[in-house]
Amino acid sequence: MRGGTRGPESRAGGRNPGLTRSAQPWNRPRTPGVVAAQQRMHAGAWTLERRVMKIGIIGAGNIGGNLTRRLTALGHDVSVANSRGPETLAALAEETGATAVRAEEAARGAEVVVVTVPVKAVPNLPSGLLDGAAENVAVIDTGNYYPRERDGRIAGIEDEGSTESRWTERQIGHPVIKVFNGTFAQDILDRGRPAGDPDRQAVPVSGDDEAAKRVVRALIDELGFDTVDNGGIDDSWRQQPGTPVYGLRADVEGVRKALAEASPERPEGFRG
């Protein structure tokens, strides 16, 4: 799978909502979809001391949709948006209890915002995307650059030697935390495990804002995954498409090893 031209986020969208048990009561009406999600949670899943957060998700494809399913199942207050308008998200909203909104509304009051859209669409996001977000909002970038298959050639990435997420930061005017870009979408639903479980999967996390990174890593832990700090955004090339960690299902040591083996040269199949 590594080195292919299809990213993990293109695989298996979510039709199996939520597999972890929230330690908190549900904070929204229990729609049939939410009840079904709760019924499919792992028996004996873990309990976490945590607080409910307001989270905005921009992009409702496989990754965005499955994060919506998991985060609402954990009791968070989730708003979700796409490029086609909230009316197209009615089924996802009914299934999960998330609030479908316009993209320019998704970040309002949000403590965490997830940007999970094709890289070529990032410049077309609404201006002032993060206006009204909580102070010190943590912004997650799950994006991957696929010049040959989807995005076309982007000079700011190809010619300037910028990492994909550094380029994204410049488009939206805010630091980002890069994570879940190399994770299979279905794994977000199926592979969450309690801390200490020998089968617990790890994911790399890159970002310059240490406070935001701590928030994001805690949220990923709640989702049932370990994290490996991959340094700042200028180091995030180690987790871009075509690297050893991209699409890897491994524990903390396996992820660390794969990151160490990465080459800064962009693989031929991922050049525009």
Side-chain angles (χ1 to χ4, degrees):
M1 178 265 146
R2 274 182 259 153
T5 58
R6 293 294 295 185
E9 77 274 21
S10 69
R11 303 289 186 88
R15 287 186 290 274
N16 178 23
L19 288 171
T20 51
R21 177 173 300 161
S22 172
Q24 307 295 332
W26 294 86
N27 295 332
R28 54 186 58 82
R30 293 177 62 188
T31 66
V34 169
V35 173
Q38 191 175 22
Q39 289 172 343
R40 281 192 286 266
M41 293 172 183
H42 282 306
W46 57 103
T47 298
L48 295 166
E49 289 298 326
R50 61 179 180 79
R51 64 185 179 85
V52 171
M53 289 195 294
K54 184 169 177 54
I55 299 172
I57 298 178
I58 302 169
N62 293 331
I63 292 287
N66 287 354
L67 284 173
T68 299
R69 293 177 173 94
R70 287 298 314 280
L71 292 168
T72 52
L74 288 166
H76 292 293
D77 181 2
V78 177
S79 295
V80 60
N82 64 10
S83 62
R84 296 177 294 144
E87 64 280 358
T88 66
L89 296 172
L92 181 63
E94 181 178 2
E95 174 193 332
T96 63
T99 302
V101 298
R102 295 181 301 164
E104 54 266 37
E105 300 170 337
R108 289 181 186 171
E111 299 161 86
V112 175
V113 172
V114 183
V115 177
T116 179
V117 301
V119 170
K120 68 178 181 180
V122 171
N124 299 323
L125 290 171
S127 61
L129 181 71
L130 300 173
D131 290 352
E135 188 176 3
N136 301 320
V137 60
V139 179
I140 293 173
D141 169 35
T142 74
N144 289 311
Y145 173 49
Y146 302 122
R148 299 187 180 186
E149 180 178 285
R150 181 189 66 191
D151 298 312
R153 190 178 192 277
I154 296 176
I157 295 174
E158 298 273 2
D159 299 338
E160 298 173 18
S162 174
T163 62
E164 297 164 11
S165 287
R166 181 68 76 194
W167 181 85
T168 294
E169 282 187 341
R170 292 170 182 158
Q171 308 310 305
I172 67 174
H174 195 281
V176 302
I177 306 299
K178 189 178 189 73
V179 69
F180 285 136
N181 70 292
T183 304
F184 291 100
Q186 193 67 31
D187 288 356
I188 292 172
L189 297 184
D190 295 347
R191 295 180 70 90
R193 299 290 187 273
D197 190 302
D199 293 328
R200 202 179 208 218
Q201 186 171 318
V203 295
V205 182
S206 302
D208 299 329
D209 185 332
E210 292 300 324
K213 191 186 287 184
R214 284 193 295 272
V215 170
V216 171
R217 294 181 75 179
L219 188 62
I220 295 167
D221 176 71
E222 188 181 339
L223 287 165
F225 298 87
D226 287 330
T227 56
V228 174
D229 192 336
N230 185 43
I233 285 298
D234 287 339
D235 300 311
S236 64
W237 57 266
R238 294 183 181 274
Q239 64 189 88
Q240 291 179 169
T243 60
V245 82
Y246 175 75
L248 179 69
R249 289 168 169 153
D251 61 8
V252 167
E253 289 308 312
V255 168
R256 285 178 178 157
K257 182 175 183 291
L259 290 170
E261 292 172 348
S263 168
E265 184 175 355
R266 186 177 295 277
E268 176 64 29
F270 295 96
R271 298 179 195 166

